[in-house]
Amino acid sequence: MAKRVVFIMLFGLIAWAVRGQNYTIKGTVTDSITGEPLPYVAVLLKGTTIGGTTDIDGKFTISTSSKVRTIQVSYLGYTEKEVNFTPGKANNLTVLLAPTSIALEEVVIKPGKEKYKKKDNPAVIFIKNAIERRESNDPKNHDYFQYDQYEKMVFAMNDYEAKPSKNGKPSKFEFLNDFVDTLEIGKTILPVSEREKLQTVYYRKDPKTERRVVAATKAAGVDEIFSREGISQLLNEVFREVDIFQNDIPLFLNRFVSPMSTMGPNFYKYYLLDTVEVAGTQCVDLGFAPFTPETFGFTGHLFITLDSTFFVQRVKLNVPKKINLNFVGGMTIEQTFNRAPDGTRIITKDDIHVDFKLNEKSKGMYARRLNIYSNHTFDQPQNMAVFEESNPILIPDSAYRRSEEYWAANRPDGAGERKKNTVEMLMEKLRSVPIFYITEKIVTILTSGYVQTNKEKDLSKFEFGPMNTYVSGNAIEGARFRVGGTTTTAFNKRLFLDGYMAYGTKDRKLKYDGLVEYSFIDKKDYRKEFPVHSVRLEYMYDINQIGQQYMYTNKDNMFLAFKRQKDTRATYLRNLELTYYREHYNGWAYGAVFRNFKEYSTGYAAFDEIRADGSLFAQDNYKMSELELKLRFAPNEKFYQTRNYRYPITLDAPVFTLNHTMAFKDALGSSYNYQKTEFGIQKRFWFSAYGYVDILAKAGKVWTQVPYPLLILPNANLSYLVQPESYTNMNALEFINDQYASWDVTYFMNGALLNRLPLIKKLKWREVFSFRGLFGDLSDKNNPFLEENRGKGLYAFPAGTYLMDPKNPYMEVGVGVENIFKFLRLDYVWRLTYKDHPGIQTRGVRFMMKLTF
């Protein structure tokens, strides 16, 4: 026994001594010209094999007991460097690697601070030649183009470290250690979401058509709480396939200037760095960095052949460290291309690595989106019928049910080894822990707004919600309490029931809404998901806040209960609607609504009919039976779909709307003849890295003589929130028109000005400028103040309502800053016209919470 104790003590002493001789070397490797961190740089102790590579932030760590006191740092396209260090004092080394200094056409690019010039610069001449030839080898020059694509998207906790057990007791989440993965660069991650897809892409030049046929797709992870189709749409836009041969590269819902852009020589500095061999071909390593590192551009390398074709063989892109891009701590994009026998470029891999961080100190999340392309062909497809399909993305039900054997047989070699412990298994174990299960349910309720009635989502046939409408308030009802819910696809994939009941403590009236909708196509998640092809019957009795419209939220959203003035402009409405609506994948949508309603006056919105003798007669209500025809065209529209609303992801393609409403007096009880037409167009215009402008224009006209509730009531925003398509400093019912033309222009500059101001640029604020207005007019036939209109059924306008001068529009401008604390936008808005009206607000501050990259 004594010998065993002596042995253990001796072993411990030796282990302590060995440990005492170990030391750690830490540092960062950066480009000496651009100052950007260099990922995947080889760092070795001189004369040994001890070392590793830098991570995506250019950082490295080496733990050793070697007596060597020199590290060797080497990277393709850079001069190798040796750095001496002292053990124990090498925790913050900074290694500046210089691009290889070579002479090309009598110009030598040297590291350090250089006086860069574009004129007669051979690097600029070289890139201009490459830009001029970018269209000549485009695969879409062929009549047909077809290839297979494998896509994998992984989200993981970054630099994950297992937490030690407390008091010797295992942690509830100790099993997480079994799912930890190690990247090639030595970083440990814990994957929490994984998506895979196998598809074939078909392209036809004339008429231009692209179709994607998905053979297999699956997803698992913590993002299952979101809409499956909605999150897929969002991720596809955030991580767009990068095409460097376009002027702009859409990424993270922004626009980056491509190094191959026609404006590239005015945006980037280019450097001829070295001649290297890529895939057996001699290429020039062309380095580049933006003149202003805070703008939306890249640093990186283009490997371009030295022959007359200027063929891009390989691409490596990084984001500048100082870029005004939220939550992105670092990003690397690598692409490789092959040259077909006829010279056409064929992409073989598109690989993005991203580190997401809330701040510099947080570990954040790691994300990777890998695309591998294979089986390229320019032959005409055997099945030409694929181009006749209306849906651009065809996903058969079998694609969601592929076996593991199918995936193993069809994953390309470059996809990486499939781990034994998958994300699917991780989620199953996590949900077995009560605290995670409860937390996931709470987050699901907060994001979806609905509460399931069954633990299993696929078995929940009815759900209560939206939860943000259960308690609210307004000046008419006082405190408003509401309860409601809807059936789900677990109840029926085509038949849906929806409704609510509400009660106001001040008016003491019960309100309600009931809806039955039948879809002619099966729904996956929600009844309103794209494409809609349905017939709907709805009956409702509720308060009607005239002069206020809510485009992207509920009218009784609790967060809109706080108003800058009393929202008393309201009536009561009893409404029956029968609606048919259909959407097509090509962007066209149309529908018809038959509407029979009775609107009741209140003390705040009286229906005082002007008699022939000029006296007023208080009408309690009026009735209408009308038909509304709708037409909409929104090609390539991208949006995030929730249960009740669609939030635009991009507005790059125009959106056109045309509506016409008609009614005939005495037909089905209508009190008036009614004809109304409205037209609208909405579009986003990008200025590359200098932001974008959203423009919305509308026009409308009421052609007949009707009382004011049926006229055009501009949308007033009485809340303190920034509301789209509304007027910030206008009062409800302040103006009444029967014809109008409006505009709403908002310029998001993405920090193009503030990023150039010392100190201010560190805040990464972004400028917002808005200008909106309305030309309005009231024709004589609808003017209740004219003697000739007495006795024709018109109502006197409520107090505080004014006529507009058709030559003097209502206008307001706003100057704002967004990205405050990365989520807050503040606008200061001025009213420019009609400032003499009593009881108005001529200026004010509005805010909204918005997370953007």
Side-chain angles (χ1 to χ4, degrees), residues 95-355:
V95 183
L96 304 178
L97 283 192
T100 306
S101 299
I102 62 171
L104 286 179
E105 299 185 13
E106 300 180 352
V107 172
V108 179
I109 304 299
K110 296 181 179 180
K113 294 183 178 180
E114 88 286 7
K115 292 183 178 179
Y116 183 87
K117 64 177 183 178
K118 294 186 293 182
K119 187 177 181 180
D120 299 326
N121 185 337
V124 175
I125 296 172
F126 191 84
I127 189 62
K128 285 183 176 180
N129 280 315
I131 293 170
E132 288 176 1
R133 290 162 176 79
R134 68 182 189 179
E135 302 297 333
S136 62
N137 53 23
D138 189 340
K140 293 185 178 180
N141 289 334
H142 292 262
D143 292 333
Y144 297 95
F145 181 35
Q146 176 184 330
Y147 57 89
D148 293 334
Q149 178 183 354
Y150 168 79
E151 180 183 85
K152 181 179 181 180
M153 195 174 296
V154 176
F155 290 88
M157 295 176 63
N158 222 347
D159 294 324
Y160 181 80
E161 296 178 0
K163 294 183 179 180
S165 57
K166 296 181 180 180
N167 302 322
K169 296 181 180 180
S171 167
K172 295 179 180 179
F173 297 98
E174 192 168 353
F175 61 83
L176 293 178
N177 299 333
D178 299 331
F179 295 87
V180 173
D181 197 2
T182 303
L183 303 178
E184 295 176 357
I185 59 175
K187 178 186 295 187
T188 57
I189 61 172
L190 176 65
V192 294
S193 175
E194 184 177 79
R195 294 169 175 269
E196 286 186 288
K197 182 164 57 179
L198 289 164
Q199 63 182 347
T200 300
V201 181
Y202 300 87
Y203 173 81
R204 180 176 62 186
K205 183 178 179 181
D206 188 23
K208 186 177 180 180
T209 312
E210 184 176 282
R211 294 291 181 264
R212 295 173 180 261
V213 180
V214 179
T217 181
K218 65 176 181 175
V222 294
D223 53 0
E224 293 176 26
I225 62 176
F226 300 103
S227 160
R228 178 173 61 180
E229 296 299 327
I231 201 69
S232 179
Q233 282 261 35
L234 181 62
L235 291 177
N236 286 340
E237 287 300 310
V238 171
F239 292 98
R240 287 274 289 270
E241 293 181 62
V242 173
D243 185 357
I244 65 162
F245 301 97
Q246 300 295 319
N247 289 332
D248 292 335
I249 296 176
L251 202 61
F252 300 117
L253 304 182
N254 285 288
R255 291 295 184 274
F256 291 74
V257 178
S258 169
M260 294 287 292
S261 168
T262 53
M263 68 174 291
N266 296 320
F267 187 86
Y268 287 102
K269 295 183 287 187
Y270 294 92
Y271 305 92
L272 294 170
L273 300 178
D274 203 351
T275 54
V276 296
E277 188 174 291
V278 178
T281 304
Q282 284 295 109
C283 295
V284 167
D285 179 3
L286 186 71
F288 54 88
F291 283 100
T292 305
E294 291 85 7
T295 54
F296 282 78
F298 299 101
T299 61
H301 302 261
L302 295 171
F303 297 90
I304 304 175
T305 60
L306 276 168
D307 56 30
S308 60
T309 64
F310 292 89
F311 186 87
V312 179
Q313 200 85 20
R314 181 169 171 249
V315 178
K316 186 170 185 179
L317 307 175
N318 302 292
V319 291
K321 198 69 176 178
K322 297 180 181 180
I323 191 173
N324 189 346
L325 189 66
N326 290 332
F327 314 119
V328 178
M331 178 179 69
T332 298
I333 302 174
E334 293 190 62
Q335 292 184 330
T336 56
F337 299 88
N338 286 340
R339 183 158 36 178
D342 63 353
T344 302
R345 69 171 179 266
I346 295 175
I347 188 170
T348 57
K349 185 174 76 170
D350 178 21
D351 196 3
I352 299 180
H353 297 259
V354 186
D355 274 343

Side-chain angles (χ1 to χ4, degrees), residues 676-687:
K676 177 185 176 183
T677 306
E678 285 190 291
F679 172 77
I681 181 172
Q682 190 173 14
K683 178 77 170 69
R684 174 170 294 172
F685 296 91
W686 280 92
F687 301 127

